Amino acid sequence: MKLVILGGSGSGKSTQAQRLCKYFEIPLISTGEILREAISGENSVNGYSELYDLVRYAQPYVEKGELVPDEVMIEFVKLRLIQQDIDCGWILEGYPRTAFQAEELDFLLDNLEQKLDHALYLQVPEAVMVSRSLGRSLPDDQPEIVQRRVELFYDRTIPILEYYDRRRRLLTINGDDSPEQVQHNILSLLGNR
């Protein structure tokens, strides 16, 4: 199972990605988490020293709530997708964030002889995104940064949804339900009850 999970800041992407990884017993590739850990120096970028320079370059963008440039993120994801642990499948969370990245991901997967099964979109109202984000207390969840991320989400993500919809890979789920209900709805759509 190879999935991309899409949604705005506070839509429940991380929660669902973690639940689905447990369910399918596959690794989670969370670009935001890897970037945050690397920036805070909590570990040596999950042991991938090649990522260190990329993270240093990405840091100022992350701290302002801006999107990290495409070429950096594409290289970042490529380095992660060639690791041994992803042979059985993966869930990608926090990427792609632009239609260009979605297209680049498809090219990359073709080169790696992998294929994306579905893009899951957790749809929640803007007010829910903002209130959930502010309730998380992550270091980069200040009101003005959250608001900026929500605006960027609407600007950049709608074209991604169209991209995956045209390729018949988009599954839209109401992300405003309880985490258990959202997971149940995702599994139903994937045909795994």
Side-chain angles (χ1 to χ4, degrees), residues 65-84:
E66 298 288 337
L67 290 180
V68 175
D70 286 341
E71 62 277 11
V72 176
M73 288 311 298
I74 289 160
E75 190 59 29
F76 198 77
V77 170
K78 182 165 121 191
L79 286 170
R80 184 63 188 88
L81 286 177
I82 56 176
Q83 305 298 325
Q84 293 302 307

Side-chain angles (χ1 to χ4, degrees), residues 106 115-120 164-165 167-171:
D106 276 345
K115 188 175 178 352
L116 182 70
D117 293 304
H118 296 287
L120 306 174
Y164 284 126
D165 195 36
R167 283 155 185 75
R168 299 193 171 19
R169 286 196 234 140
L170 184 69
L171 300 176

Side-chain angles (χ1 to χ4, degrees), residues 11 36 88 90 109 126 128 144-145 170 178 181:
S11 63
R36 267 194 293 272
C88 55
W90 40 261
L109 292 173
E126 184 174 342
V128 173
E144 63 282 0
I145 292 177
L170 184 69
S178 71
Q181 187 59 49

Side-chain angles (χ1 to χ4, degrees), residues 3-172:
L3 303 169
V4 161
I5 193 157
L6 305 167
S9 188
S11 63
K13 289 190 307 288
S14 296
T15 301
Q16 292 307 320
Q18 286 163 5
R19 284 170 165 263
L20 292 169
C21 284
K22 274 198 191 102
Y23 183 90
F24 290 114
E25 297 180 350
I26 54 178
L28 169 62
I29 303 172
S30 168
T31 54
E33 207 169 284
I34 296 170
L35 281 169
R36 267 194 293 272
E37 281 178 9
I39 288 168
S40 69
E42 280 175 36
N43 63 25
S44 61
V45 199
N46 284 6
Y48 316 129
S49 53
E50 318 96 301
L51 296 181
Y52 187 78
D53 291 337
L54 288 175
V55 168
R56 289 285 152 248
Y57 184 77
Q59 185 169 356
Y61 296 92
V62 175
E63 287 171 349
K64 288 193 212 104
E66 298 288 337
L67 290 180
V68 175
D70 286 341
E71 62 277 11
V72 176
M73 288 311 298
I74 289 160
E75 190 59 29
F76 198 77
V77 170
K78 182 165 121 191
L79 286 170
R80 184 63 188 88
L81 286 177
I82 56 176
Q83 305 298 325
Q84 293 302 307
D85 64 335
I86 57 100
D87 291 348
C88 55
W90 40 261
I91 293 179
L92 191 51
E93 188 242 317
Y95 185 92
R97 291 218 171 157
T98 64
F100 178 73
Q101 288 179 356
E103 210 169 341
E104 286 295 311
L105 178 62
D106 276 345
F107 289 137
L108 174 60
L109 292 173
D110 280 348
N111 288 340
L112 297 173
E113 296 180 4
Q114 297 186 37
K115 188 175 178 352
L116 182 70
D117 293 304
H118 296 287
L120 306 174
Y121 171 47
L122 301 181
Q123 194 169 33
V124 295
E126 184 174 342
V128 173
M129 276 195 248
V130 172
S131 68
R132 282 183 183 174
S133 292
L134 293 174
R136 289 190 305 204
S137 73
L138 286 169
D140 53 343
D141 277 342
Q142 287 116 20
E144 63 282 0
I145 292 177
V146 166
Q147 197 54 52
R148 179 79 186 118
R149 279 203 304 253
V150 169
E151 286 164 19
L152 275 173
F153 166 74
Y154 283 113
D155 283 353
R156 309 279 173 92
T157 306
I158 303 310
I160 301 179
L161 301 179
E162 290 165 355
Y163 176 86
Y164 284 126
D165 195 36
R166 279 198 309 273
R167 283 155 185 75
R168 299 193 171 19
R169 286 196 234 140
L170 184 69
L171 300 176
T172 301

